[in-house]
Amino acid sequence: MTRVRRAMVLSAGFGERMRPITETMPKPLVPLMGKALLDHVLDRLDAAGVETAVVNVHYLPEQIETHLKTRSHRGPETAVSDERALLLDTGGGAAKALPLLGDGPFFIHNSDSVWSEGVTPALPHMVRHWNPALMDCLLLLAPLSTSLGYNGRGDFDMEPDGRLSRRGERQVVPFAFAGVSLCTASLFENAPDGPFSLNLLWDRALAKGRLYGVRLDGRWMHVGTPDALEEAEASLEHEGA
């Protein structure tokens, strides 16, 4: 069985929609249920068997670096990818970190991606579905019908075999990207220099029929604003009751 030992945690952004909380604190350190969003992510990666997590930094980077030192007693091991000089977006940030991530497979995980697990834990579920013979990238997708704090029209439609297609301009599709993907370094072949979005690489995979998804068995919480943070807290407290 495939093992995924490394992950990229995207933590460099400004978190502008989370203001005023993020005026003095980077979004990955915003607390949810008394625990930083970043710790929710790192603990989940650790539980899934990830041994090394690469965390990129740009906005208020010293706070994130200081926080990572408090985790020295628990996994995964962390390494910092420094983007102080230039914020590289999701794709450029992961590309810069490739020397630390290796050939893969590895997760790329948003630092604000939060969900309550269902019967089937999401990250091991992704690993079981990973098939590099068929796919360049595998995305975790959340059903709109059960998601919290998301008001969009969805991102992808999914075939029964997991193959994805994008939402058309006037369409509503059943799934939103839940903030985690699984790929290898080969996804980044011929990627541009500097800042770019992972969407560019996903579109290349889509054109080849090699972008796949798995459905989250749980409830995704889009923690994008202070109101959404409160809503997620209330939901998690209710589920824990």
Side-chain angles (χ1 to χ4, degrees), residues 154-232:
D155 300 312
F156 296 98
D157 204 353
M158 182 162 55
E159 298 295 328
D161 66 355
R163 195 173 302 186
L164 299 183
S165 57
R166 286 229 188 239
R167 176 180 62 80
E169 187 176 345
R170 290 184 170 84
Q171 277 185 299
V172 176
V173 290
F175 296 103
F177 174 56
V180 188
S181 60
L182 181 58
C183 65
T184 67
S186 63
L187 180 69
F188 294 84
E189 287 177 6
N190 300 314
D193 295 328
F196 68 92
S197 170
L198 281 170
N199 280 288
L200 173 69
L201 306 184
W202 296 348
D203 285 342
R204 290 181 182 179
L206 272 169
K208 296 184 287 183
R210 292 181 59 85
L211 187 69
Y212 280 72
V214 295
R215 178 186 179 124
L216 171 68
D217 179 19
R219 189 176 200 193
W220 179 55
M221 302 170 196
H222 185 234
V223 187
T225 65
D227 287 345
L229 182 68
E230 288 185 17
E231 199 174 355

Side-chain angles (χ1 to χ4, degrees), residues 85-97:
L86 179 64
L87 186 61
L88 291 170
D89 204 343
T90 54
K96 176 181 170 65

Side-chain angles (χ1 to χ4, degrees), residues 10-93:
L10 298 170
S11 302
F14 292 99
E16 291 179 350
R17 293 177 63 235
M18 191 61 82
R19 290 184 175 177
I21 300 172
T22 50
E23 288 175 0
T24 57
M25 172 189 295
K27 186 176 180 183
L29 299 188
V30 170
L32 173 67
M33 299 292 288
K35 184 163 107 174
L37 290 171
L38 180 58
D39 285 332
H40 283 277
V41 171
L42 291 172
D43 289 348
R44 201 184 296 276
L45 289 169
D46 185 44
V50 170
E51 297 167 1
T52 303
V54 180
V55 180
N56 64 343
V57 297
H58 174 81
Y59 177 61
L60 301 176
E62 295 84 3
Q63 290 189 35
I64 293 177
E65 289 175 324
T66 298
H67 183 81
L68 291 175
K69 290 174 184 174
T70 70
R71 293 186 53 92
S72 59
H73 63 288
R74 66 191 196 270
E77 291 187 14
T78 56
V80 170
S81 181
D82 194 331
E83 295 181 26
R84 283 174 173 85
L86 179 64
L87 186 61
L88 291 170
D89 204 343
T90 54

Side-chain angles (χ1 to χ4, degrees), residues 8 41 44-45 106-110 113-115 122-123 126 137-141 177-182 198 202 212 214 220:
M8 175 84 196
V41 171
R44 201 184 296 276
L45 289 169
F106 49 81
F107 291 112
I108 302 176
H109 201 311
N110 292 353
S113 184
V114 176
W115 64 85
L123 299 186
M126 292 181 72
C137 193
L138 180 66
L139 309 185
L140 181 65
L141 298 180
F177 174 56
V180 188
S181 60
L182 181 58
L198 281 170
W202 296 348
Y212 280 72
V214 295
W220 179 55

Side-chain angles (χ1 to χ4, degrees), residues 6 97-106 184-186:
R6 296 184 182 236
L98 286 177
L100 299 170
L101 292 167
D103 291 335
F106 49 81
T184 67
S186 63

